Amino acid sequence: MSRVLHFQADRIEMLLASHKVNARVTGGTVTPRLVRFHLTTPLGVKVRQVANLSEEIALSLGAPSCRVYRHQGQVEVEGPREQGRVVPLLPLCRRLAREGAGGRHTVPPLTAVLGLDQEGVPLLLRLPSPNVAHALIAGTTGSGKTALARTMVASLALHNSQRNLQLVLVDPKGRGFLGFEGLPHLLVPVVTRVDEALSVLQRLVAEMERRDAEGRCEPGLVVVLDELADLVQVGGREMVTALTRLTQRGREAGLHLVACTQKPSAAVIGSLVKSNFPVRLVSSVASPEDAKVATGLAQTGAERLLGQGDFLVVAKGQVTRMQAAYMDLQEVQE
């Protein structure tokens, strides 16, 4: 593989030189799905000059696409590996358990395991953190958003007792979360109808207000919604009102939302998402416009992601690429 990487690095340098962009590949990182090349450019070379050649770089590497961005004083060029690897959730959780036993790492309460970041380090999402509270998962069909939601639910259930965690799963498609039916952490059976979902969310608003009045925030209550845009369109104003109240006031009451959507358009969920979901987990989307709405940032390159668990994690204006951990339905049911 080393020979292939050196060849690709030479191709990138030759391609840039042919367009009068002086740059050298000084190193790189190999992840389960991606190869990232570190470029050093002299003073005066703009990142945009390299980014404008992303299609030409992809063509020279024989790749479907490349993502070009700036990171810590370098220009990064990311492309897919010829044979990517899946990141299984259960071995990743066992790795975290071993590291925790050694005193180096533990999974805090109400923390979901997401996958591996750009450096191959396990990436966790601590929902009670003031900078998190709620998370949006966005991506087109087949991008892995529902699979990531399943991973988050499974990891939360694995690392938290029923006493500390209650789950509400809303699955309008009736396919994504049904493997969790019977999970002891479920506050109610998996919800599959929009009218039922509205009723459950309104009851959660009442529970949130009761906890506020009593100054309580335990046990943690995590609501995972698949197909947010469909819920909003069918449920109408009442659905938007319930979701908005939960996202605006839920964290202090120990209530957190994780919502999935394949339609991150401003017309459908823009006003709801803009200020109420501090963390965005974004996979491949249809256009740069959808990428901007989903991530809250311009020019992230989310429309160039590979799908199948290839995500950008956007938090506090920082963007991290990750490969989501995976747990199939059979493992969930077992």
Side-chain angles (χ1 to χ4, degrees):
M1 185 175 182
S2 175
R3 195 179 309 168
V4 173
L5 294 176
H6 283 296
F7 172 76
Q8 290 178 326
D10 290 341
R11 296 278 291 185
I12 292 171
E13 289 182 354
M14 290 171 60
L15 184 280
L16 294 175
S18 70
H19 288 82
K20 296 182 171 52
V21 177
N22 187 13
R24 294 293 306 273
V25 176
T26 57
T29 305
V30 179
T31 72
R33 291 283 304 282
L34 303 165
V35 176
R36 186 165 77 253
F37 297 95
H38 310 316
L39 269 64
T40 299
T41 58
L43 191 66
V45 174
K46 298 179 180 179
V47 177
R48 174 58 55 190
Q49 291 176 267
V50 182
N52 286 340
L53 295 170
S54 61
E55 288 298 317
E56 287 77 8
I57 295 173
L59 182 62
S60 71
L61 298 179
S65 66
C66 282
R67 179 171 169 260
V68 178
Y69 62 98
R70 179 181 61 83
H71 179 67
Q72 296 181 350
Q74 290 183 318
V75 179
E76 308 284 356
V77 175
E78 284 182 342
R81 292 177 58 174
E82 283 191 18
Q83 295 180 330
R85 294 190 293 110
V86 173
V87 179
L89 175 63
L90 294 181
L92 181 57
C93 289
R94 286 194 288 268
R95 170 184 168 184
L96 290 168
R98 288 195 302 270
E99 292 178 354
R104 291 183 293 157
H105 194 88
T106 57
V107 178
L110 297 182
T111 298
V113 178
L114 299 181
L116 297 178
D117 72 6
Q118 299 168 119
E119 308 301 330
V121 176
L123 193 61
L124 310 179
L125 185 68
R126 185 172 179 270
L127 292 171
S129 169
N131 298 321
V132 180
H134 315 293
L136 177 74
I137 305 176
T140 57
T141 300
S143 63
K145 63 184 184 300
T146 302
L148 175 56
R150 278 201 303 268
T151 290
M152 294 176 70
V153 170
S155 64
L156 285 166
L158 283 168
H159 294 110
N160 294 271
S161 68
Q162 185 181 356
R163 179 183 302 174
N164 298 323
L165 169 70
Q166 294 178 333
L167 291 166
V168 173
L169 306 181
V170 179
D171 182 14
K173 292 185 298 185
R175 297 189 303 270
F177 300 148
L178 288 185
F180 291 109
E181 198 67 80
L183 187 72
H185 299 74
L186 290 183
L187 184 64
V188 296
V190 176
V191 179
T192 57
R193 300 199 321 268
V194 174
D195 59 339
E196 185 184 359
L198 178 58
S199 175
V200 169
L201 291 176
Q202 288 173 335
R203 293 198 327 253
L204 289 175
V205 171
E207 169 66 10
M208 176 187 71
E209 292 173 343
R210 185 180 69 82
R211 288 188 178 194
D212 279 345
E214 297 176 0
R216 291 181 52 227
C217 61
E218 294 179 343
L221 211 164
V222 179
V223 184
V224 185
L225 308 165
D226 203 4
E227 302 301 338
L228 174 64
D230 290 348
L231 289 172
V232 169
Q233 287 179 318
V234 177
R237 188 185 298 268
E238 288 182 306
M239 182 71 73
V240 173
T241 298
L243 289 169
T244 301
R245 293 190 69 188
L246 290 172
T247 52
Q248 287 178 340
R249 294 176 51 192
R251 185 179 67 84
E252 290 79 6
L255 195 150
H256 310 280
L257 266 66
V258 176
C260 306
T261 182
Q262 65 175 334
K263 302 172 185 175
S265 62
V268 177
I269 61 170
S271 59
L272 175 65
V273 166
K274 186 173 182 181
S275 59
N276 296 331
F277 286 89
V279 174
R280 320 284 179 88
L281 309 171
V282 183
S283 190
S284 177
V285 293
S287 66
E289 291 74 24
D290 283 353
K292 184 175 181 179
V293 173
T295 62
L297 300 170
Q299 299 176 351
T300 58
E303 71 279 4
R304 297 179 181 273
L305 296 176
L306 305 174
Q308 297 181 327
D310 184 20
F311 278 84
L312 297 181
V313 180
V314 183
K316 298 179 65 176
Q318 300 296 313
V319 180
T320 302
R321 195 167 185 174
M322 76 158 185
Q323 179 63 34
Y326 180 74
M327 187 176 196
D328 63 33
L329 285 172
Q330 184 175 354
E331 288 179 303
V332 169
Q333 292 164 352
E334 292 174 355

